[in-house]
Amino acid sequence: MQYDVFGIENPLIDLLANVPDAFLQAMGLEKNHMQLIDEPRQRHLLEHLQAFPMQTAPGGSCANTMLGIAQLGGRAAYCGKVGHDAYGKIYEQQLEEAGVTSFITADGSVTGSVIILVTPDAARTMNTFLGACRELSAADVPLDALKASKLLYLTGYLWDTESQQEAATLALRTAGSEGIHVTMSLADPFCVQRHKQDFLDILDRYVDFVFANRDEALALTDTDSVHDAMRELRKRCDGAAITLGGRGAYVTRGEEHVYLDPYPVQAVDTTGAGDAFAAGFLHGLTQGQSLYQCGRLGSFFASRVIQQIGPRLAGDVRSQLAAVLEDPRD
């Protein structure tokens, strides 16, 4: 196989700037919140941010996971749509430089972005403009590359437009016909609420392993306990992981069930924790490691990410995760 994991989702370039509290007040922004914005609002914010140095990085939940897999030494590929503009070129270039093979397409729209405003107290105020990623279509999915992959990974955000749904459905059907393992993240509780029946149908028909946090799992299964939610998920697909934040995680596959204790750390920024968990877990899965080791690697990766600002771990990730890269049960 040419790729370990083939990911499909929304490429959103992260535009990060350090600003004073007064800037948030002037822009009418509520600190530490995320809001969806339209293109005029995006332009307005960027115009007023010209006086502040800005960092750029490829972002989006699935991209974070693919980048994490590449950091661990895995072979990751990524499909999505950007605009035919400077930010789209920067996104693809930085993705490739980080070791992820890009199957991104561009059109005349504006590249989606997340404008992240960091105030002196380390609070992150995010403004998300979805842009071109909403226009991903079935024609944009590179089927030959998908067929050359061990796993398909996608997220629930792809169900927010009809064309994205068509792209996701084609990928799911292709993976099913080719015997490619299908993994999916439920994305967020609001996404679950918007597309609940679709997600249940997808789990029944296509998904081998599903990732969810506690709120997502309870919302999808109409249960009020993690154990009941896990039982319901297991009726629909072979395996599942439910992350519990500072209380660890449950993972299950086949007849095997594992509870993972949390790693005791002081969280600085929980952005990207679920993406890092999925990256570690999927990397372990593609390397044939045990269910326990897959969950252990995902949990440890997430615990390292939340100790710093930003959704991805900086530096030499393999050396930072060396203590857990080998399966102690081997």
Side-chain angles (χ1 to χ4, degrees):
M1 287 294 182
Q2 189 171 356
Y3 305 108
D4 292 323
V5 185
F6 187 95
I8 306 178
E9 202 216 32
N10 297 336
L12 299 169
I13 191 161
D14 288 343
L15 306 173
L16 188 146
N18 291 279
V19 299
D21 286 289
F23 183 86
L24 301 185
Q25 296 167 6
M27 294 293 104
L29 297 171
E30 186 174 358
K31 182 188 288 192
N32 220 25
H33 281 240
M34 190 283 284
Q35 61 178 344
L36 289 173
I37 59 174
D38 56 17
E39 186 177 350
R41 180 60 167 168
Q42 182 208 39
R43 289 199 304 267
H44 178 74
L45 289 174
L46 291 176
E47 287 171 2
H48 285 81
L49 284 167
Q50 291 181 11
F52 299 94
M54 185 173 291
Q55 301 173 41
T56 61
S61 175
C62 181
N64 289 337
T65 296
M66 297 305 103
L67 287 160
I69 291 169
Q71 288 179 313
L72 290 169
R75 299 164 299 172
Y78 181 72
C79 170
K81 178 162 277 190
V82 297
H84 194 65
D85 54 21
Y87 283 138
K89 292 177 182 177
I90 291 170
Y91 189 102
E92 188 165 12
Q93 177 184 344
Q94 293 187 351
L95 194 73
E96 292 268 10
E97 289 174 350
V100 177
T101 301
S102 171
F103 290 97
I104 289 173
T105 56
D107 67 10
S109 301
V110 177
T111 296
S113 67
V114 182
I115 300 173
I116 305 167
L117 305 175
V118 183
T119 41
D121 58 358
R124 294 159 62 87
T125 303
M126 296 188 285
N127 304 270
T128 301
F129 169 60
L130 294 174
C133 63
R134 296 171 295 185
E135 299 168 20
L136 181 73
S137 69
D140 298 316
V141 180
L143 296 182
D144 287 343
L146 173 57
K147 292 175 183 178
S149 305
K150 293 180 183 178
L151 302 181
L152 169 65
Y153 177 75
L154 41 73
T155 83
Y157 291 122
L158 286 171
W159 271 260
D160 278 337
T161 69
E162 184 175 343
S163 64
Q164 287 174 298
Q165 288 182 35
E166 292 172 355
T169 301
L170 175 62
L172 289 168
R173 288 175 177 168
T174 302
S177 65
E178 295 290 325
I180 296 166
H181 199 78
V182 175
T183 58
M184 178 180 177
S185 166
L186 295 184
D188 71 46
F190 300 107
C191 199
V192 172
Q193 291 170 9
R194 291 194 299 272
H195 307 294
K196 186 173 182 177
Q197 190 56 53
D198 284 338
F199 287 0
L200 291 172
D201 292 342
I202 293 161
L203 295 190
D204 285 337
R205 296 181 63 186
Y206 301 110
V207 175
D208 298 294
F209 197 97
V210 61
F211 295 90
N213 63 27
R214 179 183 182 276
D215 291 342
E216 294 158 5
L218 298 187
L220 184 67
T221 59
D222 287 325
T223 57
D224 55 12
S225 80
V226 171
H227 290 289
D228 289 342
M230 185 65 85
R231 187 181 306 112
E232 291 302 312
L233 291 175
R234 286 286 288 105
K235 292 177 181 178
R236 298 178 181 275
C237 47
D238 184 57
I242 301 179
T243 54
L244 307 173
R247 291 180 291 134
Y250 284 102
V251 293
T252 182
R253 184 178 56 184
E255 298 304 314
E256 188 175 5
H257 312 282
V258 176
Y259 169 72
L260 297 147
D261 287 310
Y263 287 93
V265 297
Q266 181 63 48
V268 174
D269 177 10
T270 59
T271 306
D275 303 334
F277 181 92
F281 191 98
L282 292 173
H283 180 67
L285 197 61
T286 61
Q287 303 310 304
Q289 295 181 327
S290 67
L291 181 68
Y292 167 76
Q293 173 61 5
C294 292
R296 179 171 174 255
L297 182 54
S299 294
F300 192 76
F301 199 173
S303 76
R304 300 279 80 78
V305 166
I306 65 175
Q307 293 180 74
Q308 42 119 78
I309 298 293
R312 290 184 296 277
L313 192 57
D316 185 342
V317 169
R318 284 190 64 83
S319 66
Q320 294 180 64
L321 273 64
V324 298
L325 280 173
E326 298 301 324
D327 192 337
R329 299 186 178 185
D330 287 345

